[in-house]
């Protein structure tokens, strides 16, 4: 009954958020404007229900004052993935220049919704808390990683930092922004 009431509570929260949060103006449906509302309610239920999965690890680490069993490699790659995906979603949701470049290239408007942004930013924050806990509760107060993980960190981190510099300095055209953010979204995968 605790699980049922917990899931029910999360669905109520998701439904309320879906009703009051901004709707995607580019979603069109046969039952306009109900299509946007239903999409938003489903999206925020997704946000509420999936967001719960990040908390047990944080609470377990806090209760035990230890992160034994939590992989440093997973934690850093998970944080990087959610950071990259958040950058992609935030840019597609809120940056008018990126939205217009996307629409121009793909002849379609972005369908990123506020619940997508909320979930990815929330996941990024909780993934960062994992890292803080590893350093804080760890024996060495550092984040030792396997060599393969370092290659992944560098392989994703260097281009993600370098490409915006190249675009801003004029070495790459401004039209490269959608490609850059698309690649960031793939880094999450």
């Amino acid at each position: 009954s605790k699980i049922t009431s917990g899931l029910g509570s999360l669905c109520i929260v998701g439904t309320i958020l879906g009703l009051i949060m901004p709707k995607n103006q580019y979603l069109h449906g046969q039952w306009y404007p109900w299509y946007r509302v239903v999409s938003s309610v489903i999206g925020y239920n997704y946000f509420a229900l999936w967001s719960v999965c990040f908390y047990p690890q944080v609470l377990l680490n806090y209760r035990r004052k230890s992160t034994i069993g939590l992989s440093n490699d997973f934690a850093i790659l998970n944080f990087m993935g959610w950071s990259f995906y958040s950058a992609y979603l935030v840019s597609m949701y809120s940056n008018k220049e990126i939205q217009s470049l996307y629409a121009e290239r793909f002849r379609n408007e972005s369908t990123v919704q506020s619940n997508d942004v909320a979930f990815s930013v929330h996941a990024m924050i909780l993934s960062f808390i994992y890292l803080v806990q590893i350093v804080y509760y760890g024996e060495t107060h550092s984040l030792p990683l396997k060599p393969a993980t370092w290659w992944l960190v560098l392989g994703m981190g260097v281009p993600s930092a370098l490409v915006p510099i190249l675009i801003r300095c004029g070495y790459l055209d401004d039209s490269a922004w959608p490609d850059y953010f698309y690649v960031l979204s793939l880094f999450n995968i």
Side-chain angles (χ1 to χ4, degrees):
S1 77
K2 287 182 182 180
I3 292 173
T4 303
S5 65
L7 289 174
S9 298
L10 288 171
C11 287
I12 290 169
V13 168
T15 301
I16 291 170
L17 286 171
L19 292 171
I20 64 173
M21 294 303 286
K23 315 300 181 273
N24 188 325
Q25 63 182 344
Y26 300 115
L27 290 179
H28 302 287
Q30 182 178 3
W31 301 289
Y32 172 86
W34 291 106
Y35 183 77
R36 292 180 190 163
V37 173
V38 169
S39 177
S40 182
V41 167
I42 290 170
Y44 272 100
N45 272 284
Y46 166 93
F47 164 74
L49 292 166
W50 273 104
S51 291
V52 171
C53 75
F54 289 92
Y55 287 93
Q57 185 68 54
V58 171
L59 295 174
L60 179 65
N61 296 342
Y62 176 75
R63 283 190 196 128
R64 293 185 313 168
K65 305 294 187 228
S66 170
T67 57
I68 292 175
L70 176 60
S71 165
N72 295 351
D73 302 286
F74 166 78
I76 191 75
L77 293 173
N78 199 39
F79 172 69
M80 287 180 70
W82 286 116
S83 297
F84 294 145
Y85 196 54
S86 294
Y88 164 74
L89 289 174
V90 167
S91 70
M92 292 297 289
Y93 182 75
S94 62
N95 188 310
K96 299 297 181 197
E97 179 185 354
I98 301 299
Q99 290 172 352
S100 67
L101 287 169
Y102 179 88
E104 183 180 306
R105 177 167 311 156
F106 298 108
R107 294 176 176 72
N108 194 9
E109 303 296 331
S110 169
T111 57
V112 173
Q113 297 189 63
S114 59
N115 61 280
D116 300 321
V117 175
F119 179 76
S120 67
V121 170
H122 177 264
M124 178 187 66
I125 291 168
L126 270 289
S127 296
F128 180 72
I129 291 172
Y130 292 171
L131 292 174
V132 170
Q133 288 181 322
I134 287 171
V135 172
Y136 185 75
Y137 295 132
E139 295 173 14
T140 62
H141 295 290
S142 66
L143 192 65
L145 301 173
K146 294 176 182 168
T149 303
W150 275 113
W151 283 109
L152 286 170
V153 167
L154 292 171
M156 292 184 294
V158 170
S160 69
L162 187 60
V163 170
I165 294 169
L166 294 173
I167 293 172
R168 289 288 180 204
C169 291
Y171 293 108
L172 292 174
D173 190 55
D174 278 349
S175 64
W177 281 118
D179 298 319
Y180 168 72
F181 285 112
Y182 180 71
V183 168
L184 286 185
S185 76
L186 293 178
F187 282 165
N188 186 38
I189 296 170

